[in-house]
């Protein structure tokens, strides 16, 4: 395999690794909303860091084997690979608008990078490095503050943070190039600050890219990051490394046209995400209003049901005049159970026991001065005399 074919293959694998890292980052951001920048306790996030590191390493090797005009445009295929991979692996499908925006951003970026001409290897002096680091840090901090101010609009916040991440990654590539040029003449202590800047910018880019995926999906922040990163590097190359566009004035006009196409794709992705957020907000508001109406209806129904007995009671009280209360209150006693009839069965006259028997005690006493003869005592039992 030739060096050119190997650089193309490594560029494609690098784009796939970047796309996989972006998908994992977006899933981590969706599943851990509390961790805004760096969920260090999530193993999946470290897997995303490893995929991004692998993509960066393969990209550097591809640049070493192939020309810049070929390798850099192939790196823009990250967003093209990410959308079908997200649909296949995690079931997150992008709409037609997202696809059109992603393709526009990729085509515009590829055309812009292909028009940038290569120049001789150059480095930056100390003043240029300090100035570049200061401007980069100020721009990143300003975008972070703007993103924090736009927390109520996740799409706008995501684009701002993704832009900051792209600037950090692009300037990290610039400082990497300067250090690589310096290493050709031997490593010195003056390269240590540049290495520190590279580490700080790479870390900031990774953290900001993670934050840009929170609540914003995959397509918009990834496309923004993919476009801003090489564009920043190309702008620095043109302004500080004396690089130019190919084909003179025609190439410059074509490069500007490609930049407009890439910017249009980013705008399309952003507006598509904002429209989706608006639709989701309307659905949430509709569900909330419906629930509120149901709650009010239940409350009104309960009050109406409670008002019916009250109205009936008021009508009865108005129809019946109030009677004065008596002084005595009669409390009814409990009803006694019926007493069974224990009267003996009627006896015949022949078997009736005479009233004056030996068992009967007779009393004697004076009766108007004469002897008292008591009459026979009649028994307590009722006797029916048959005639």
């Amino acid at each position: 395999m030739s060096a050119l074919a190997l650089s193309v293959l490594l560029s494609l694998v690098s784009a796939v690794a970047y796309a996989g890292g972006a998908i994992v980052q977006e899933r981590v951001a969706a599943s851990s909303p509390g961790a805004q920048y760096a969920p260090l306790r999530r193993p999946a996030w470290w897997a995303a860091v490893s995929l991004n590191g692998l993509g960066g390493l393969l990209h550097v090797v591809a640049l070493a084997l192939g020309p810049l005009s070929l390798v850099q445009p192939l790196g823009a295929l990250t967003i093209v690979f990410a959308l079908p991979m997200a649909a296949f692996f995690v079931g997150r499908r992008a709409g037609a608008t997202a696809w059109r925006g992603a393709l526009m951003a990729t085509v515009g970026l590829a055309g812009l990078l292909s028009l940038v001409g290569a120049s001789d290897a150059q480095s930056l002096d100390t003043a240029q490095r300090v100035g570049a680091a200061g401007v980069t840090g100020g721009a990143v901090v300003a975008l972070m503050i703007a993103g924090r101010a736009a927390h109520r609009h996740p799409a706008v916040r995501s684009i701002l943070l993704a832009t900051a991440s792209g600037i950090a990654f692009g300037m990290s590539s610039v400082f990497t190039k300067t250090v690589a040029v310096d290493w050709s003449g031997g490593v010195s202590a003056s390269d240590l600050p540049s290495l520190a800047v590279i580490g700080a910018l790479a870390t900031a880019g990774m953290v900001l890219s993670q934050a840009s995926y929170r609540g914003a999906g995959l397509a918009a922040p990834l496309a923004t990051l993919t476009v801003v990163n090489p564009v920043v590097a190309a702008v620095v190359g043109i302004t500080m490394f004396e690089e130019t566009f190919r084909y003179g004035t025609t190439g410059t006009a074509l490069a500007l046209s490609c930049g407009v196409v890439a910017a249009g794709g980013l705008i399309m992705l952003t507006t598509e995400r904002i429209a989706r957020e608006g639709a989701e907000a309307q659905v949430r508001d509709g569900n909330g209003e419906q629930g509120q109406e149901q709650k009010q209806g239940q409350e009104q129904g309960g009050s109406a049901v409670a008002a019916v007995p009250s109205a009936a009671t008021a009508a009865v009280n108005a129809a019946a005049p109030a009677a004065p209360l008596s002084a005595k209150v009669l409390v009814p006693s409990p009803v006694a159970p019926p007493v069974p009839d224990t009267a003996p069965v009627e006896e015949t006259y022949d078997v009736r026991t005479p009233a004056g028997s030996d068992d009967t005690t007779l009393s004697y006493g004076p009766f108007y001065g004469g002897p008292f003869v008591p009459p026979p005592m009649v028994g307590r039992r009722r006797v029916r005399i048959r005639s």
Side-chain angles (χ1 to χ4, degrees), residues 17 115 129 165 184 224 226 229 256 263 277 342-343 357 362 367 385:
L115 292 172
R129 296 183 186 187
S165 176
S184 61
T224 303
T226 305
N229 180 2
L256 293 176
E277 290 176 359
T342 57
S357 61
L362 301 178
F367 181 73
I385 301 176

Side-chain angles (χ1 to χ4, degrees), residues 221-295:
L222 180 58
T224 303
L225 175 61
T226 305
V227 170
V228 171
N229 180 2
V231 166
V232 169
V235 169
V236 173
I238 293 173
T239 57
M240 302 183 70
F241 292 105
E242 299 179 357
E243 295 179 353
T244 58
F245 291 110
R246 297 178 181 179
Y247 313 117
T249 305
T250 304
T252 303
L254 291 175
L256 293 176
S257 301
C258 292
V260 171
V261 172
L266 294 180
I267 293 173
M268 187 177 295
L269 286 170
T270 305
T271 54
E272 188 268 344
R273 185 63 191 180
I274 292 175
R276 184 181 300 180
E277 290 176 359
E280 293 176 355
Q282 289 180 358
V283 171
R284 289 194 300 268
D285 294 341
N287 294 335
E289 291 178 358
Q290 184 177 2
Q292 187 69 19
E293 290 177 358
Q294 292 179 355
K295 184 178 180 180

Side-chain angles (χ1 to χ4, degrees), residues 103-121:
L103 291 176
M104 285 179 60
T106 303
V107 171
L109 177 61
L112 177 62
L113 294 178
S114 63
L115 292 172
V116 176
S119 62
D120 296 334

Side-chain angles (χ1 to χ4, degrees), residues 37-95:
Y37 289 101
L40 301 178
R41 297 182 179 180
R42 296 290 302 274
W45 186 74
W46 291 106
V49 173
S50 301
L51 287 174
N52 285 314
L54 176 61
L57 179 61
L58 293 177
H59 184 71
V60 171
V61 176
L63 285 174
L65 296 176
L68 179 65
S69 59
L70 178 63
V71 175
Q72 285 293 100
L74 290 177
L77 295 175
T78 299
I79 183 63
V80 179
F81 290 149
L83 294 182
M85 287 174 62
F88 181 76
F89 289 107
V90 298
R92 181 179 292 275
R93 296 182 179 179

Side-chain angles (χ1 to χ4, degrees), residues 346-350 352 381-387:
E346 182 180 356
E347 298 177 0
T348 61
Y349 183 78
D350 297 334
R352 181 176 61 87
R381 296 180 180 180
R382 291 177 297 177
V383 179
R384 179 179 296 179
I385 301 176
R386 297 178 181 178
S387 59

